[in-house]
């Protein structure tokens, strides 16, 4: 059932807590810096994964709430009662990650809103609103334009930078999602100002591409040598702006700039560019520059067809709500095409396929590989429902097949399951080659696997998949650093082993 690799002896499973080991020993652990991060590489990833699994087994909500308890303990509060966090609390003074990093902050705030909806705990609502006010009032840079004040966000508070614009992971998309959510929970002028300011930013920085299409280019990304490239994907590209624009269009249909620009008109113009760039592949569609490369075969959410298909699904829903039926159907055509490409890849995979890499188009987590591959087809099947039962059944079969690929790829550790980094990934993260390391992050790591298996298992009502999700979650719970002020998650877990063997 599992990949032919197992940990035979495990001792000293986790690195010592920061209070026991000098923080300088972690200073070169990873590009992201020392452990105990607040964003999707740490606390936020744990919260999202555990809240998802708790819908199937409520006991896992305790881990999510203990992680939120830690975040509440280490929060920073300014003189106006606004809340924020450092990226890492174990980083030594002067380290780049011992700072407030806006790109990583929206997700934990959104998850506090999610937790409030699930538990009705007013403390979660209060901290989320106070943190959202920080992001709206203290974190953005502002610039004057003919259309009003444009809002952007630098990589760190105080940086003199043109600001983030493209995509969701490190772009304005995540901020639009946050402020739209905050406005829906409790309308506040600062949220409206921020949303209008980001709409101005997207309008004045849009590149006109003809036939009503527009695109946005990345600022300050060393990965893109050609500054004329418009990335199409979700995490770092066009799709990551379109989805929150469509959500904003539904939440605030009255929002409009002085030239008549609305969230829906901007989102639709962005979709027209994606339509123009769609390349027929087999029975589906593929897009160039879904991340930083012109050619990619990634079916994942963050940097593949999953995220682009989601943008078209969001466009379908928003345009239907606005009465634009013709364009809504055009969006559905490309949403189906993105799903077709993804499902085709799953169906063509060998029956006993095992993932050998944890990142990119071959692996784990919700951004690059297996998790994101399931995410969008499931969303689309829920939209189509009884209108297309054959498609829904196909998605169900592919979801099961994909889940079993992920489960087969696991390494058992006691009664838990985990997915250690491959040799290439250890080298990428500057981890000594003999160390067996588990990436705990949401994007390409263990918390992402828990989230993806939980979502697949709930969709299928499949006990086998949910059991694997619980075993993966149990690995996380076993390695949370538990303090009187809540639980925190290391960026990596290191397994000391006598031997990694391959069964014959």
């Amino acid at each position: 059932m599992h990949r032919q690799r197992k940990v035979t002896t495990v001792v000293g499973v986790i690195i010592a807590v920061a209070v026991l080991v000098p923080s300088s020993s972690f200073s070169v652990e990873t590009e992201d810096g020392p452990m105990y991060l607040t964003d999707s590489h740490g606390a936020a990833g744990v919260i999202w994964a555990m809240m998802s699994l708790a819908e199937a087994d409520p006991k896992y909500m305790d881990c999510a709430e203990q992680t939120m308890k830690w975040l509440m303990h280490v929060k920073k509060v300014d003189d106006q009662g606004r809340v924020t966090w450092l990226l890492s609390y174990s980083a030594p003074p002067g380290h780049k990650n011992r700072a407030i990093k806006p790109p990583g902050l929206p997700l934990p705030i959104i998850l506090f809103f999610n937790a409030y909806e699930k538990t009705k705990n007013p403390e979660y609502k209060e901290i989320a609103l106070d943190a959202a006010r920080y992001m709206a009032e203290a974190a953005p840079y502002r610039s004057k334009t003919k259309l009003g004040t444009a809002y952007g966000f630098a990589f760190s508070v105080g940086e003199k930078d043109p600001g983030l614009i493209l995509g969701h992971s490190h772009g304005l998309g995540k901020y639009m999602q946050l402020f739209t959510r905050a406005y829906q929970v409790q309308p506040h002028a600062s949220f409206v100002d921020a949303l209008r300011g980001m709409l101005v930013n997207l309008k004045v920085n849009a590149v006109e591409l003809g036939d009503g299409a527009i695109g946005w280019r990345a600022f300050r990304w060393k990965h893109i040598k050609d500054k004329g490239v418009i990335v199409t994907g979700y995490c770092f590209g066009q799709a990551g702006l379109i989805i929150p624009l469509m959500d904003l269009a539904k939440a605030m249909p009255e929002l409009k700039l002085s030239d008549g620009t609305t969230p829906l008109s901007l989102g639709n113009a962005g979709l027209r560019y994606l339509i123009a760039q769609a390349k027929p592949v087999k029975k589906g569609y593929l897009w160039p520059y879904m991340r930083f490369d012109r050619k990619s075969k990634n079916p994942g959410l963050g940097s593949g067809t999953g995220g682009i298909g989601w943008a078209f699904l969001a466009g379908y829903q928003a345009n239907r709500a606005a009465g634009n039926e013709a364009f809504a159907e055009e969006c559905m055509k490309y949403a189906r095409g993105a799903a077709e490409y993804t499902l085709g890849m799953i169906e063509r995979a060998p029956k006993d396929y095992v993932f050998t890499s944890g990142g990119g188009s071959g692996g784990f987590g919700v951004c690059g590989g297996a998790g994101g591959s399931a995410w969008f087809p499931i969303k689309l099947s829920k939209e189509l429902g009884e209108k297309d039962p054959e498609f829904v059944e196909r998605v169900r079969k592919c979801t099961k097949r994909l889940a079993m690929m992920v489960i087969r790829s696991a390494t058992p550790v006691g009664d838990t399951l985990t997915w250690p980094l491959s040799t290439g990934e250890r080298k990428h993260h500057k981890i000594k080659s003999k160390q067996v390391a588990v990436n705990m992050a949401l994007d390409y790591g263990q918390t992402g696997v828990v989230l993806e298996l939980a979502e697949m298992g709930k969709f299928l009502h499949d006990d086998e998949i949910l059991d694997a999700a619980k075993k993966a979650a149990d690995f996380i719970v076993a390695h949370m650093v538990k303090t009187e002020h809540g639980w925190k998650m290391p960026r990596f877990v290191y397994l000391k082993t006598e031997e990694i063997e391959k069964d014959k």
Side-chain angles (χ1 to χ4, degrees), residues 445-458:
Q446 183 85 8
T447 51
V449 177
V450 173
L451 178 61
E452 71 191 42
L453 289 176
E455 292 296 319
M456 289 190 279
K458 290 184 298 183

Side-chain angles (χ1 to χ4, degrees), residues 20-344:
L20 301 179
V21 179
S23 59
S24 60
S25 67
F26 300 137
S27 60
V28 294
E29 178 196 357
T30 168
E31 187 179 81
D32 292 323
M35 301 191 296
Y36 313 127
L37 306 177
T38 59
D39 65 357
S40 60
H41 297 288
V46 172
I47 294 167
W48 192 0
M50 294 300 178
M51 283 201 300
S52 175
L53 186 55
E55 293 176 359
D57 189 335
K59 74 177 184 181
Y60 291 97
M61 191 64 187
D62 181 57
C63 182
E65 294 199 278
Q66 288 289 344
T67 308
M68 288 186 287
K69 180 181 176 182
W70 175 70
L71 281 177
M72 288 188 286
H73 173 69
V74 298
K75 69 181 185 294
K76 298 177 71 66
V77 184
D78 68 12
D79 57 5
Q80 297 184 46
R82 299 174 300 199
V83 169
T84 190
W85 291 274
L86 300 179
L87 179 62
S88 172
Y89 287 82
S90 57
H95 191 281
K96 65 179 181 178
N97 284 333
R98 193 171 180 84
I100 296 166
K101 293 290 183 75
L105 294 179
L107 182 57
I109 303 170
I110 290 167
L111 292 170
F112 270 104
F113 281 128
N114 289 356
Y116 168 69
E117 286 188 356
K118 290 178 182 295
T119 66
K120 302 306 178 186
N121 183 337
E123 191 173 12
Y124 296 157
K125 176 182 177 181
E126 180 181 355
I127 198 169
L129 289 170
D130 288 342
R133 281 202 309 115
Y134 179 89
M135 296 303 295
E137 298 168 3
Y141 84 91
R142 300 166 177 82
S143 60
K144 298 293 184 181
T145 77
K146 292 181 180 180
L147 293 176
T149 303
Y151 275 45
F153 297 82
F155 271 73
S156 294
V157 172
E159 284 191 5
K160 294 181 179 179
D161 185 87
L164 307 178
I165 184 168
L166 192 61
H168 189 271
S169 181
H170 289 86
L172 290 184
K174 191 185 296 183
Y175 298 90
M176 280 191 285
Q177 181 186 0
L178 168 61
F179 298 131
T180 300
R181 187 68 176 278
Y183 176 82
Q184 290 172 316
V185 172
Q186 185 172 300
H188 191 279
S190 65
F191 305 148
V192 179
D193 289 343
L195 288 165
R196 182 181 296 277
M198 286 185 287
L199 202 61
V200 171
N201 191 345
L202 292 177
K203 174 63 177 180
V204 299
N205 285 294
V207 180
E208 301 287 342
L209 298 167
D211 296 325
I214 62 172
W216 294 277
R217 294 182 179 135
F219 294 166
R220 190 186 166 185
W221 279 346
K222 62 183 179 181
H223 308 284
I224 305 176
K225 295 180 180 179
D226 182 355
K227 297 304 179 183
V229 167
I230 295 174
V231 180
T232 57
Y234 174 74
C235 274
F236 297 101
Q238 190 107 333
L241 295 174
I242 291 169
I243 295 167
L245 278 171
M246 295 303 176
D247 289 340
L248 179 58
K250 290 184 288 186
M252 300 176 65
E254 73 286 353
L255 184 60
K256 183 181 297 187
L257 302 184
S258 59
D259 69 343
T261 298
T262 66
L264 184 61
S265 69
L266 269 182
N268 283 347
L271 285 172
R272 290 187 182 97
Y273 176 75
L274 294 181
I275 290 172
Q277 293 297 307
K279 308 298 180 186
V281 178
K282 297 187 183 298
K283 295 180 180 180
Y285 290 107
L286 196 58
W287 283 264
Y289 289 110
M290 292 189 292
R291 189 171 171 89
F292 306 125
D293 300 322
R294 175 177 291 277
K295 293 183 179 180
S296 172
K297 295 182 179 180
N298 189 341
L301 175 65
S303 305
T305 53
I308 294 175
W310 186 11
F312 280 110
L313 176 58
Y316 167 80
Q317 293 168 335
N319 278 283
R320 284 201 72 191
N324 303 330
E325 292 291 341
F327 192 65
E329 291 305 318
E330 183 79 351
C331 290
M332 179 54 72
K333 169 186 173 182
Y334 289 94
R336 290 290 296 262
E340 181 66 43
Y341 177 81
T342 301
L343 297 177

